[in-house]
């Protein structure tokens, strides 16, 4: 069903554009910026593109057009995707690693140790321990996703909405369910670059799906608890 | 434990700043922009602020400093929070409604009916029906969260990662769990403006918590399935 399963032997630029839905001018821009490898030259003015180009183009589009990522950031993500020195798990990790992570909340006053952030770190570590995420605990502060999480928990505290450990744990349980769904989706793609690319693209593309569904779920729950009437 | 439970009778600007952690200059800016109601004037140069000001200040900070919302958008959200003509559920709905919703994915070509978006609408409606969210289905396209969701699903399809109904349903199930956690948190605040404000603030403040946890969960799951070794 998915495009990655289709055979796309060697096609010219016009067909690459048609099959990917990306305008020729945009493809040329991605080529100039090094986000897409050059095609195989077949004459002085023409090149051919293959299945790998089509697949890569989808990922670039997901990062830039949906994820609104700057070109330089997308390039870093792609370097990690292509790093064949890493095994599959490490490549997925390194690529998701390179994704931009939301801006941190309000910072401390910059004087002395940041107690709010330290407390947030303890709360996060406790939640990770209770849910049994040993890998994330071991990586700790070297992981951008972990830092994003600690910053967010510290931001809650600084704005006067402190996060209870039980709430954090409940969120982590839902995240674990989502992680399993995500990896099930990833495993439908071809092992190797296809799966690494899918992991990155799906991480970015499902974020607005999740945030939209959570807002609808809040409205449902609010209606159920407070709605009254018909 | 939470600030909203503390008694904060009538305080001067300096104390409001200290208790909220928001700089005096920033509070004055919020007052000028109409994001905070004026204090009760006690002399030609001094005004007093109360508990409502402190609570409102926390929400404004959550929207602007964490949610990175433009002042005009925050003002619209606050108008909805303050609309006492609505019941609690409707005020929560109207305020979450006014929150900015992520930018849509790549658009269709603008010619003729947008088949990809129509298909995304059908997929979303099917998921909402299967999970039994009758309120969201009834509101449909008039809800910004619903439109955000349809745009995200259409974006997946346009970038070549079509979303299977079962995946959408799995995401909706996790979102339902999160919605219940969120409303449990909201109910810890004082009924009335306190709960409406908390609903808005927690919707915004927990988004980076959720996205950070999901990325950690993906790393855990990827490690479990593909990690090998120790």
């Amino acid at each position: 069903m998915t495009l990655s399963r289709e055979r796309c032997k060697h096609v010219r630029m016009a067909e690459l554009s048609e099959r990917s839905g990306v305008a020729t001018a945009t493809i040329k821009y991605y080529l100039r910026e090094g986000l897409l490898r050059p095609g195989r030259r077949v004459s002085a003015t023409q090149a051919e593109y293959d299945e790998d180009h089509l697949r890569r183009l989808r990922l670039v589009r997901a990062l830039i057009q949906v994820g609104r990522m700057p070109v330089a950031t997308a390039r870093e993500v792609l370097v990690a995707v292509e790093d064949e020195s890493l095994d599959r798990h490490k490549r997925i990790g390194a690529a998701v690693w390179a994704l931009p992570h939301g801006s941190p909340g309000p910072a401390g006053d910059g004087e002395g140790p940041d107690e709010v952030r330290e407390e947030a770190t303890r709360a996060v570590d406790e939640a990770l321990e209770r849910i049994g995420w040993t890998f994330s605990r071991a990586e700790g502060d070297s992981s951008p996703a972990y830092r994003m999480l600690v910053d967010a928990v510290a931001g809650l505290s600084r704005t006067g909405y402190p996060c209870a450990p039980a709430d954090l744990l409940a969120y982590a349980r839902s995240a674990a369910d989502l992680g399993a769904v995500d990896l099930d989706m990833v495993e439908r793609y071809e092992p190797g670059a296809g799966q690494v690319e899918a992991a990155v693209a799906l991480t970015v593309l499902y974020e607005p799906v999740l945030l939209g569904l959570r807002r609808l779920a809040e409205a449902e729950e609010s209606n159920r608890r407070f709605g009254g009437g018909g």
Side-chain angles (χ1 to χ4, degrees), chain A:
Chain A
M1 284 322 148
T2 64
L3 268 177
S4 69
R5 304 281 161 84
E6 281 176 28
R7 292 289 97 186
C8 161
K9 297 233 171 59
H10 293 283
V11 300
R12 299 294 161 84
M13 172 71 82
E15 196 178 337
L16 184 65
S17 165
E18 201 191 308
R19 298 185 72 156
S20 64
V22 179
T24 308
T26 308
I27 296 176
K28 287 181 178 165
Y29 170 68
Y30 292 161
L31 284 164
R32 278 198 307 278
E33 291 290 333
L35 298 173
L36 202 61
R37 270 187 296 267
R40 197 171 62 91
R41 199 145 282 292
V42 288
S43 78
T45 56
Q46 293 216 296
E48 278 183 347
Y49 302 89
D50 62 18
E51 206 177 333
D52 287 348
H53 286 98
L54 183 57
R55 225 185 43 216
R56 173 58 53 96
L57 202 45
R58 293 193 337 218
L59 173 60
V60 170
R61 199 181 184 205
L63 297 178
I64 293 190
Q65 294 187 23
V66 183
R68 312 277 169 195
M69 213 170 282
V71 165
T73 311
R75 204 183 285 119
E76 279 174 49
V77 173
L78 295 172
V79 166
V81 166
E82 277 173 3
D83 187 348
E84 302 200 346
S85 71
L86 302 172
D87 66 23
R88 180 163 52 167
H89 165 60
K90 294 219 177 63
R91 272 166 82 188
I92 291 180
V96 172
W97 210 266
L99 288 173
H101 288 73
S103 43
D109 58 12
E111 290 173 25
D114 184 342
E115 280 168 26
V116 175
R117 204 175 188 283
E118 283 169 18
E119 200 185 309
T121 303
R122 279 194 298 275
V124 165
D125 285 345
E126 190 191 317
L128 297 184
E129 191 173 335
R130 284 173 66 185
I131 201 167
W133 290 0
T134 49
F135 177 75
S136 301
R137 275 220 66 186
E139 298 289 325
D141 216 43
S142 69
S143 148
Y146 176 95
R147 289 201 302 273
M148 177 192 195
L149 177 58
V150 170
D151 284 336
V153 171
L156 274 159
S157 195
R158 288 201 178 94
T159 45
Y161 298 92
C163 175
D167 300 326
L168 199 53
L169 190 61
Y171 259 70
R173 289 212 179 93
S174 290
D177 293 342
L178 293 166
V181 174
D182 292 340
L183 269 288
D184 284 348
M185 292 195 280
V186 166
E187 293 206 74
R188 282 180 222 143
Y189 291 82
E190 283 169 37
Q195 286 189 356
V196 178
E197 287 178 6
V200 172
L202 298 174
T203 296
V204 172
L205 293 170
Y206 274 87
E207 287 187 350
V209 172
L210 177 56
L211 299 182
L213 282 168
R214 172 170 170 257
R215 291 191 186 179
L216 289 180
E218 286 178 356
E220 289 293 326
E221 193 66 26
S222 160
N223 186 46
R224 191 170 301 128
R225 298 190 191 194
F226 310 136

